[in-house]
Structures are given as structure tokens and as C-alpha cells.
């Protein structure tokens, strides 16, 4: 193993990720683990140089005060205990009541612990991370087979690229094209993974299947449910066709773990990687990115040679264009929303807005308005443009796009997209609007 590691034990602190990031910014890899890790599990982690017991307000769970396994004090690792009254002080390098308030003092404390007490080497970088994960995946998987649902999103793409390096031919990727992808996205998954990286890629063209299930369904939540459950069904069918698969790889990243709830923090939302597979399709999980933050996942993708367009892809909802083609989906409007979206993305890229704006897309509603085309009355759909900025997607403000850019996009949509006679720009912040229209 190439990287030294400091383990943070989550004993109810709200600062676990801050501490992990602070240690990583000193150049030392750091992982967060649950407080009740056993001594054996801790010893099995590669290259542990020191342990931080990170106590905090959430250390009382269901009225019971939780604690770490006392055996971990006997393993000989330098230990720093923070906000942990029960710490066995004689076995610790330092016991603090709380983290220093000043950022600089905290950094200095960590620097001294990590380098002076733990003698860790500053050898955390993406090259070493990838090398270590390749070795760990090889150990876990052996000569068995691994399955991956490759959506083309950043996380699943980076996992695929990493696993191709680690286990190559033992990996099978399944890309389900539900017909609700943006223009060129499924094609780029095939181009990058099948043609360039030589992956075993099963491409499932399920457009007709999804569209027939969605025919006439106008309720947004029903549409979401149908898309989600149909996706699992198609994936399950493909998995059953393959023989002898023991492992399922997932692009779980650290924020997914936090949002799904840890032992000391309540769930924010269900983490929606491929869950919901039937009981008899049991796989062991392979999750090589589970300790990374989003920016680190992107850096990992770049290091693995994935194209910028894939690595810096803007967030895209699982139900895809299905929630941007409002009401009951028709092919006509789905094509309009996809073509208009491609124009928007092209013009944003030309104006340098693709790197600046958090999320931007088009929406086509299910009503028409009157217009004139070639001196005759026409009755066609509007396209709505939306461009928003946000930190956490809980609230969002609109991007004040330059008029000339908006006019150029409008002009192109009018000329190039069929069945459209009007373009509007959505000025609504979240709240009261949401980012998506459905
Ligand atoms: P809203 O519309 O709730 O969106 O303001 C917040 C962020 O979440 C994305 N989004 C989804 N992502 N499945 C997803 O994976 C969904 O059903 C879904 N709905 C919204 C949205 O694109 C925005 O980034």
C-alpha cells in the first residue's frame, strides 16, 4: 500500500468531514469509520498511522451514551481524543475537550499529531489512491466477477474506469438507456467505455419500453416511480442473464453515506444507487469511492483519463428528461426538450458559462401557444430555459445570463427545433420554485 492513513472514529461529532478534509489537505489520507469498529477491523485497514476519536453532540443515541471499543486503545496507535470524556487518557497522545476555535490552531494541532506523533508521510495523492484501491479491489474480488450499473454519471463512470484497471475482463457494465438521456450521452458511454477502454459493456436500448410504460402518465411522482422501478427491472433482467456474478460495484461516495444516515447522524434522504434488487439476487458490494468527496471523485476521474465532459458533467436527475418533458411524455416533446437542451449546452459552453453555472437545462410544458410561421398561424410548444446556482440544491438563485447569449439560444431554438414557437427564461429562485419543474 502506498498511502499512510489516519482513521477518524465518528463518535457523534458534526466535524468528521471537516477533520478528514483538513488532514487530507496536509497531504495525508484519512478515512472516517463508525465508532464501534472492532480492533480486528481497525487492524485490517491498510497503513493506519494514527486514530482520532472524534466525540461530539451526537454521542447519545436513543438515550444511550455510545463509546468506542476499549480494545482499540491496546493496538499501539497514537490516539487523539476530542470531546470524549470517557477516553482512556493514559493511552492517548492528547485528550481535548473540543477542537480549537481558530482554524489555524486546529491545523497546527493536526499537523503536529499527524507528523510528530504518528510519523505519517504526506503521500496522499490521486495516483497513490488509485494504486491502493486497485490493490484492495483485487484482494476483495479475487478471480470472481463484478457487475456495475453504468449510468454515465460522474460517480459510476469513475468506478467503471477504476475497476477496468483493477479487474478488467471480470467486470461487466450494464448501461440502460431509458430514452430520457440528454443528446449524445448514451453514445458517449459506449464510445468511452466500450471503444476506448475496452470494457465488457452491455448496452440496453430500453427507450420504447420506458416510453410505453410512461404513455399517458402525467403525475410527476408516478412518472418518477415508473422510471425508477422499470430501471431496476431492466437491470435485474440483465443481471439474471449473466452467470456467476458475486459482486456489485457502486459509485457510492462519502456524502451519500452521510445522507443515508450514519450510526450517529439521522438520514437526510435514501441513497438511490441501485437499491431495491430482489432478495435472491444478493451481491457483495464493491465501493472504492466511498471515502471520497465529489471534487476528489472528479480528480480521480481525470487521473484515470476520463474526458472532461464526463468528469465535469452537471448534476442530472435519475429520471432524466422525463421530468423536463412536463405531464404525459410524448416523443414529439421529448425530442424538442432534448434538441433545445443540446443547443443550450453548446451556447453556454461557447460563452464560458458551462464552467460557471451549477445547473442549466430546458423544459417543454404540455401546452401550446399561438404564433406565426411563414406568414401563417401556428400553434406550438414553448421551450423554457433554466440556469441556476446553488451550494447544496436546497435553495438556488438564477444566473443573470447575458441578453445576447439568451437571444442567440432563442434564435437557434426557433430555427432548429421542431414544434416550438416560443422561448422563455425562468426567473424563479428556489424557494418558491424548485430547480426542476416536476
Ligand atoms: P429540486 O427540483 O428538488 O432539485 O429543486 C434539486 C436537485 O436534485 C435534482 N433532482 C433529482 N435527482 N432524482 C435525482 O437523482 C430525482 O428524482 C430528482 N429530482 C430533482 C435536480 O436536478 C437538482 O439538481
Amino acid at each position: 500500500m502506498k498511502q499512510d492513513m489516519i482513521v477518524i472514529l465518528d463518535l457523534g461529532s458534526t466535524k468528521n468531514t471537516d477533520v478528514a478534509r483538513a488532514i487530507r489537505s496536509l497531504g495525508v489520507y484519512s478515512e472516517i469509520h463508525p465508532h464501534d469498529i472492532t480492533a480486528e477491523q481497525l487492524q485490517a485497514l491498510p497503513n493506519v498511522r494514527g486514530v482520532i476519536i472524534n466525540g461530539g453532540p451526537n454521542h447519545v443515541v436513543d438515550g444511550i451514551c455510545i463509546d468506542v471499543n476499549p480494545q482499540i486503545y491496546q493496538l499501539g496507535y497514537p490516539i487523539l481524543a476530542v470531546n470524549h470524556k470517557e477516553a482512556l487518557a493514559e493511552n492517548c497522545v492528547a485528550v481535548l475537550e473540543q477542537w480549537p476555535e481558530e482554524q489555524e490552531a486546529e491545523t497546527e494541532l493536526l499537523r503536529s499529531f499527524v507528523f510528530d506523533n504518528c510519523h505519517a508521510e504526506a503521500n496522499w495523492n490521486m495516483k497513490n489512491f488509485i494504486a491502493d484501491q486497485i490493490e484492495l479491489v483485487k484482494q476483495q474480488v479475487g478471480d470472481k466477477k463484478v457487475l456495475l450499473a453504468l449510468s454515465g454519471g460522474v460517480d459510476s463512470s469513475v468506478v467503471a474506469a477504476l475497476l477496468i484497471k483493477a479487474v478488467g475482463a471480470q467486470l461487466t457494465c450494464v448501461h440502460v438507456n431509458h430514452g430520457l438521456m440528454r443528446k449524445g450521452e448514451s453514445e458517449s458511454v459506449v464510445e468511452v467505455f466500450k471503444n476506448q477502454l475496452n470494457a465488457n459493456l452491455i448496452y440496453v436500448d430500453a427507450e420504447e419500453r420506458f416510453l410505453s410504460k410512461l404513455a399517458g402518465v402525467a403525475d410527476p411522482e408516478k412518472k418518477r416511480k415508473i422510471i425508477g422501478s422499470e430501471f431496476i427491472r431492466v437491470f435485474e433482467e440483465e443481471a439474471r442473464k449473466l452467470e456467476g456474478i458475486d459482486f456489485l460495484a457502486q459509485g457510492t461516495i462519502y456524502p451519500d453515506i452521510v445522507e443515508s444516515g450514519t450510526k450517529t447522524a439521522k438520514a437526510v434522504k435514501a441513497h438511490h444507487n441501485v437499491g431495491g434488487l430482489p432478495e435472491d439476487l444478493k451481491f457483495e458490494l464493491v465501493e472504492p469511492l466511498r471515502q471520497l468527496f465529489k471534487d476528489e471523485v472528479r480528480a480521480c476521474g481525470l487521473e484515470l483519463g476520463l474526458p472532461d465532459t464526463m468528469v465535469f458533467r452537471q448534476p442530472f436527475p435519475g429520471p432524466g428528461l422525463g421530468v423536463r418533458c412536463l405531464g404525459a411524455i410524448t416523443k414529439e416533446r421529448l425530442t424538442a426538450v432534448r434538441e433545445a437542451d443540446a443547443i443550450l449546452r453548446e451556447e453556454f459552453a461557447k460563452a464560458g458559462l458551462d464552467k460557471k453555472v451549477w445547473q442549466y437545462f430546458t423544459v417543454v410544458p404540455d401546452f401550446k401557444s399561438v404564433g406565426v410561421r411563414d406568414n401563417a398561424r401556428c400553434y406550438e410548444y414553448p421551450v423554457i430555459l433554466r440556469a441556476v446556482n446553488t451550494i447544496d440544491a436546497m435553495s438556488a438563485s438564477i444566473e443573470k445570463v447575458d441578453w445576447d447569449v439568451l437571444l442567440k439560444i432563442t434564435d437557434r431554438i426557433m430555427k432548429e427545433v421542431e414544434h416550438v414557437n416560443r422561448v422563455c427564461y425562468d426567473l424563479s429562485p428556489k424557494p418558491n420554485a424548485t430547480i426542476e419543474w416536476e
Side-chain angles (χ1 to χ4, degrees):
M1 289 292 151
K2 295 188 181 299
Q3 303 183 122
D4 289 352
M5 157 150 73
I6 304 294
V7 170
I8 298 166
L9 297 184
D10 169 16
L11 193 63
S13 172
T14 51
K15 274 178 65 91
N16 293 309
T17 54
D18 291 352
V19 175
R21 299 214 62 151
I23 296 172
R24 288 184 199 182
S25 71
L26 295 173
V28 178
Y29 184 53
S30 164
E31 288 191 353
I32 304 159
H33 287 269
H35 70 280
D36 57 357
I37 190 170
T38 64
E40 291 73 36
Q41 287 167 332
L42 186 56
Q43 273 183 310
L45 295 174
N47 286 12
V48 176
R49 294 285 179 255
V51 175
I52 296 176
I53 302 174
N54 202 17
N58 301 329
H59 78 289
V60 180
V61 178
D62 297 331
I64 296 167
C65 204
I66 55 171
D67 200 351
V68 297
N69 274 312
Q71 295 91 332
I72 65 155
Y73 292 103
Q74 311 306 328
L75 298 176
Y77 298 122
I79 294 177
L80 169 66
V82 183
N83 201 342
H84 181 225
K85 284 196 189 69
E86 292 77 12
L88 302 181
E90 70 276 18
N91 297 67
C92 296
V93 169
V95 179
L96 307 177
E97 268 179 36
Q98 59 179 39
W99 288 102
E101 293 208 345
E102 296 285 317
Q103 188 63 48
E104 267 176 31
E106 182 188 296
T107 308
E108 201 35 57
L109 174 82
L110 285 172
R111 190 193 306 278
S112 148
F113 176 68
V114 167
F115 297 117
D116 302 340
N117 299 119
C118 302
H119 306 290
E121 234 182 274
N123 52 11
W124 146 251
N125 59 49
M126 269 309 148
K127 261 201 179 69
N128 287 344
F129 174 82
I130 290 167
D132 283 357
Q133 289 304 322
I134 287 175
E135 200 168 324
L136 289 168
V137 169
K138 279 184 174 161
Q139 277 172 21
Q140 186 188 4
V141 169
D143 58 1
K144 303 254 168 60
K145 291 185 185 164
V146 188
L147 180 63
L148 169 72
L150 176 56
S151 68
V154 182
D155 305 340
S156 70
S157 298
V158 175
V159 170
L162 187 74
L163 290 194
I164 289 167
K165 282 227 154 84
V167 293
Q170 291 157 252
L171 173 72
T172 302
C173 303
V174 175
H175 176 72
V176 178
N177 178 1
H178 52 22
L180 306 166
M181 303 288 278
R182 286 174 292 195
K183 191 171 179 174
E185 276 193 321
S186 280
E187 291 83 351
S188 117
V189 169
V190 173
E191 170 56 29
V192 170
F193 290 99
K194 199 179 184 103
N195 301 349
Q196 294 176 20
L197 298 178
N198 238 337
N200 294 324
L201 174 68
I202 299 175
Y203 172 81
V204 189
D205 178 358
E207 177 173 10
E208 291 306 325
R209 181 168 168 170
F210 275 80
L211 291 188
S212 71
K213 285 268 174 199
L214 287 164
V217 181
D219 180 73
E221 287 312 303
K222 277 199 189 124
K223 284 165 70 177
R224 270 199 175 72
K225 277 213 181 93
I226 290 172
I227 297 166
S229 62
E230 199 58 18
F231 184 89
I232 290 169
R233 218 163 291 154
V234 175
F235 184 73
E236 182 197 337
E237 281 174 25
E238 294 304 319
R240 285 194 194 283
K241 285 186 209 160
L242 300 164
E243 305 241 314
I245 302 247
D246 290 293
F247 294 91
L248 182 71
Q250 290 198 338
T252 314
I253 70 173
Y254 196 71
D256 298 331
I257 294 176
V258 174
E259 286 186 346
S260 313
T262 58
K263 286 178 179 151
T264 63
K266 288 214 165 57
V268 179
K269 64 178 178 191
H271 160 51
H272 48 238
N273 271 328
V274 189
L277 283 172
E279 277 291 297
D280 66 320
L281 262 187
K282 269 254 178 290
F283 300 108
E284 191 182 318
L285 294 182
V286 179
E287 298 178 309
L289 309 181
R290 59 180 292 123
Q291 290 282 344
L292 293 192
F293 300 97
K294 197 77 182 189
D295 54 322
E296 295 169 341
V297 175
R298 294 191 209 278
C300 184
L302 289 179
E303 182 66 39
L304 287 163
L306 290 178
D308 277 22
T309 46
M310 211 165 240
V311 168
F312 292 102
R313 184 184 191 254
Q314 51 169 321
F316 187 57
L321 299 180
V323 290
R324 296 175 182 173
C325 181
L326 306 187
I329 297 169
T330 63
K331 260 205 163 147
E332 195 172 82
R333 285 188 303 110
L334 187 57
T335 306
V337 81
R338 179 179 289 125
E339 293 299 323
D341 175 79
I343 292 171
L344 175 73
R345 285 195 284 147
E346 235 179 271
E347 293 303 324
F348 262 43
K350 276 189 209 157
L353 291 170
D354 56 335
K355 302 241 160 46
K356 177 174 180 245
V357 182
W358 195 79
Q359 199 174 16
Y360 46 96
F361 54 88
T362 57
V363 174
V364 173
D366 53 351
F367 59 80
K368 295 178 179 180
S369 75
V370 175
V372 279
R373 184 188 291 279
D374 302 329
N375 291 326
R377 178 188 189 276
C378 62
Y379 190 48
E380 294 173 320
Y381 297 106
V383 165
I384 294 148
L385 311 178
R386 186 133 174 84
V388 299
N389 292 307
T390 176
I391 306 274
D392 56 7
M394 301 295 283
S395 63
S397 58
I398 63 132
E399 170 73 17
K400 292 180 187 163
V401 183
D402 190 85
W403 278 104
D404 289 338
V405 176
L406 287 176
L407 291 173
K408 177 81 193 297
I409 294 165
T410 304
D411 186 53
R412 281 196 59 193
I413 290 176
M414 293 292 194
K415 286 190 181 121
E416 296 171 37
V417 183
E418 283 187 78
H419 310 294
V420 171
N421 64 356
R422 214 174 270 275
V423 176
C424 307
Y425 187 59
D426 183 353
L427 294 171
S428 331
K430 175 182 182 175
N432 291 356
T434 50
I435 295 175
E436 303 287 348
W437 274 54
E438 283 194 338

